[in-house]
Amino acid sequence: MGGALGLFVLARLLGGVVVALLSWEAGRNPFALLGRSWDSLWYLGIAAHGYGHTQRFRLDVVHSDLAFFPLYPALVRGVTTLTPLAGGTAGLVVSWLAAAAAACGVYAVGARLHGRAVGTALVLLWGLLPHSVVLSMAYTEPVLTAFAAWSLYAVLTRRWVWAGGLALAAGLARPNGFAVAAAVLAAAAYEVVRRRGKVTHRLWTGAALAPVGWVAYVLWVGRRKGDLLGGYFEVQRLWGSRFDFGRGSLQFVHRLLLHGDRFVFPMTMVIVAAAVLLFALLLADRAPLPLVVYGGVLLLIALGGSGFFESKPRFLLPAFPLLLPLARALVRTARARPRHATVVVGALAGLSFCYGAYLVVIANTPL
């Protein structure tokens, strides 16, 4: 695990150096860009002042901080309370520590299924995704991935209470954190059917815990908005985010193909298409059910959700099981043709570092 974590840290440090160089060239502060950009400002505001901030742009466009789940700002608040660190720096500390914990969890899942070499390759590929710069920012994806990876590992090792508790925490991290609970529940249901109901109370406890975090926050927002079941989804609708089975995304792609001239959006289309292909490969590899459900739910949310098209690759960043087929192929290549594997990793690193710096410093597009 130490080698995999070391490679991940090295990848993110090199990516950070490229961001810093481009930032200084543009006359901007790299730490400000990493710690206080886009959604980071909302999370830091919640950490400092609690919920209650709203920005009204039009009658049908109202941005409320209730759209943001509470775990990350709570962690940031804890760091600022216990240390002299300010909000942006505290947010980066939380994200960096969570990214390290996530890398260890990703390795544990890969090594459990296919050995240490695949576990290491899986971590390296995850750290070199085009949007992996987000793992170095004050964002929630590292926190979600950390809880998701260790919850999935707990399912694979039949530690049901741990799996449920970690899924509960993941459900408090992000809206798509429900994917972790779905994976735990699917695995538990399969186990119940396979054993004809003869399972331990730990499985039932884990299954009961898994969706509690996500459901509790959605209901809390609904109660606060005066609509217990629909309040949270109304908040998201006013942000322009809703699940419409991909209709909004298809309309956006149609406009982009006819009139698009911005690099971020075509790149988003390529990344999402690649994710669909990787999911098909994951199915062809007959991956364990919880990994298929987790990756499939994250992919479904990304494909079926409308609004913030350019953010879809970030939404898919926690879907590390999709990289398992690539990790296995990379290990086979490294053993047979090590120079070829080196070229592939170098190319991925170049794309990740340069595109990540472009997203943070140049592209005036929400991450």
Side-chain angles (χ1 to χ4, degrees), residues 21-22 59-60 93 106 113 120 144 148 165 185 193 234 250 298 331:
L21 291 175
L22 188 59
L59 185 62
D60 60 339
V93 168
V106 170
L113 294 175
T120 300
L144 171 58
L185 291 172
V193 172
E234 176 64 12
L250 290 175
L298 287 177
V331 169

Side-chain angles (χ1 to χ4, degrees), residues 2-357:
L5 179 59
L7 286 174
F8 175 78
V9 172
L10 177 62
R12 296 313 328 133
L13 284 176
L14 291 175
V17 169
V18 176
V19 169
L21 291 175
L22 188 59
S23 300
W24 290 328
E25 179 67 22
R28 307 180 71 178
N29 186 329
F31 285 101
L33 289 173
L34 293 174
R36 303 184 65 87
S37 293
W38 303 107
D39 288 358
S40 299
L41 296 173
W42 286 92
Y43 284 114
L44 296 179
I46 296 169
H49 309 294
Y51 285 98
H53 180 63
T54 299
Q55 291 183 353
R56 186 178 298 274
F57 298 93
R58 300 195 308 267
L59 185 62
D60 60 339
V61 180
V62 181
H63 292 178
S64 167
D65 58 10
L66 291 172
F68 299 93
F69 277 49
L71 180 58
Y72 180 76
L75 293 173
V76 174
R77 180 65 175 267
V79 172
T80 57
T81 301
L82 298 174
T83 71
L85 298 178
T89 305
L92 288 175
V93 168
V94 170
S95 294
W96 293 348
L97 291 176
C104 292
V106 170
Y107 170 83
V109 171
R112 171 78 182 183
L113 294 175
H114 303 293
R116 289 179 294 180
V118 171
T120 300
L122 184 62
V123 171
L124 183 59
L125 290 173
W126 183 63
L128 293 178
L129 286 172
H131 271 65
S132 60
V133 68
V134 173
L135 301 175
S136 301
M137 301 178 68
Y139 265 74
T140 54
E141 275 69 24
V143 175
L144 171 58
T145 309
F147 284 113
W150 285 109
S151 178
L152 292 171
Y153 179 76
V155 171
L156 294 174
T157 55
R158 298 296 186 266
R159 295 178 172 92
W160 293 105
V161 176
W162 274 105
L166 291 166
L168 184 156
L172 289 171
R174 286 194 51 76
N176 56 356
F178 179 75
V180 188
V184 174
L185 291 172
Y190 175 78
E191 195 71 8
V192 169
V193 172
R194 188 174 71 89
R195 294 183 176 272
R196 298 181 180 179
K198 297 178 181 179
V199 295
T200 68
H201 68 279
R202 292 181 176 275
L203 183 146
W204 294 111
T205 302
L209 284 173
V212 168
W214 188 88
V215 171
Y217 183 71
V218 168
L219 293 179
W220 179 80
V221 173
R223 182 175 180 273
R224 182 160 174 159
K225 300 298 291 184
D227 181 359
L228 187 63
L229 298 180
Y232 171 78
F233 302 101
E234 176 64 12
V235 168
Q236 288 285 9
R237 187 190 68 79
L238 291 173
W239 268 83
S241 298
R242 63 188 185 278
F243 189 85
D244 60 1
F245 299 95
R247 179 181 178 185
S249 296
L250 290 175
Q251 291 174 345
F252 185 89
V253 169
H254 180 261
R255 293 194 299 270
L256 178 63
L257 292 175
L258 293 180
H259 309 293
D261 58 355
R262 298 176 66 181
F263 181 60
V264 171
F265 296 114
M267 188 69 173
T268 297
M269 291 174 57
V270 172
I271 292 172
V272 173
V276 174
L277 175 60
L278 290 174
F279 183 69
L281 292 175
L282 190 70
L283 291 174
D285 275 359
R286 297 182 178 179
L289 177 64
L291 271 64
V292 170
V293 171
Y294 171 68
V297 171
L298 287 177
L299 184 58
L300 177 63
I301 292 171
L303 290 174
S306 64
F308 298 99
F309 184 85
E310 64 276 16
S311 298
K312 290 183 184 296
R314 174 169 65 85
F315 299 159
L316 289 169
L317 194 57
F320 68 90
L322 300 182
L323 299 172
L324 269 171
L326 289 185
R328 297 179 68 187
L330 181 61
V331 169
R332 290 194 296 268
T333 302
R335 289 170 176 166
R337 299 180 176 86
R339 292 183 181 178
H340 292 195
T342 302
V343 170
V344 170
V345 171
L348 292 175
L351 172 63
S352 175
F353 301 158
C354 294
Y355 187 60

